[in-house]
Amino acid sequence: MKVIIKPKRGFGKIEAELNNSLITKIKELSKRYQVSEEKILEIIFSGEFKNPKGNVKKLEESIEELKKKVGSLEKEWAPLRYKAYGVSEDNKILAIELSGLLAENLQLKRFLRKKIERNVELRKLIQYYLQ
């Protein structure tokens, strides 16, 4: 593969021939980091590599410890999430029943020719639980 680098201003260009193994490594890096191949070539030529500043093994061990902590927290969180889902479904069922009872109450008031009161706050609360 032939790479041609042109300056943004002025004349002159650099041509370089890349072998197949280097091309495959560049493509792998492009896929892994989801960056264009041109950007990877730009980083390679400009030397903008980031070298780790600390002990990599120690950092990897701390990452593994954090993964274990996340796993244990997820084990505690999962039952609570399940219970919250059950409570929200119960609230939805109760909101449906309450809406039906309000409609029935409204019909009875109309039948008895009583004053009909519209409770807007209660309707908003029912709509909230139905969502």
Side-chain angles (χ1 to χ4, degrees), residues 31-98:
K31 285 182 183 178
R32 183 189 308 166
Y33 296 111
Q34 297 176 353
V35 179
S36 67
E37 294 173 7
E38 292 82 18
K39 182 66 178 170
I40 290 178
L41 283 171
E42 181 182 321
I43 291 170
I44 290 171
F45 287 132
S46 65
E48 295 177 2
F49 299 111
K50 292 185 179 180
N51 294 325
K53 295 181 180 178
N55 187 357
V56 176
K57 296 242 185 221
K58 190 174 183 180
L59 291 173
E60 288 175 352
E61 289 173 1
S62 65
I63 288 172
E64 289 301 320
E65 288 176 17
L66 290 173
K67 284 182 182 179
K68 289 178 184 176
K69 286 182 183 178
V70 167
S72 66
L73 289 174
E74 181 64 29
K75 287 177 186 175
E76 292 176 14
W77 174 248
L80 294 174
R81 209 174 43 208
Y82 179 74
K83 288 178 185 176
Y85 175 75
V87 169
S88 70
E89 289 299 310
D90 290 344
N91 285 343
K92 192 180 286 187
I93 291 169
L94 291 173
I96 292 169
E97 289 180 13
L98 181 60

Side-chain angles (χ1 to χ4, degrees), residues 105-107 109-111 113-118:
N105 191 12
L106 185 68
Q107 290 299 324
K109 284 185 177 184
R110 283 185 183 155
F111 179 73
R113 296 189 174 127
K114 299 255 179 166
K115 182 180 176 186
I116 298 173
E117 299 173 3
R118 306 234 184 245

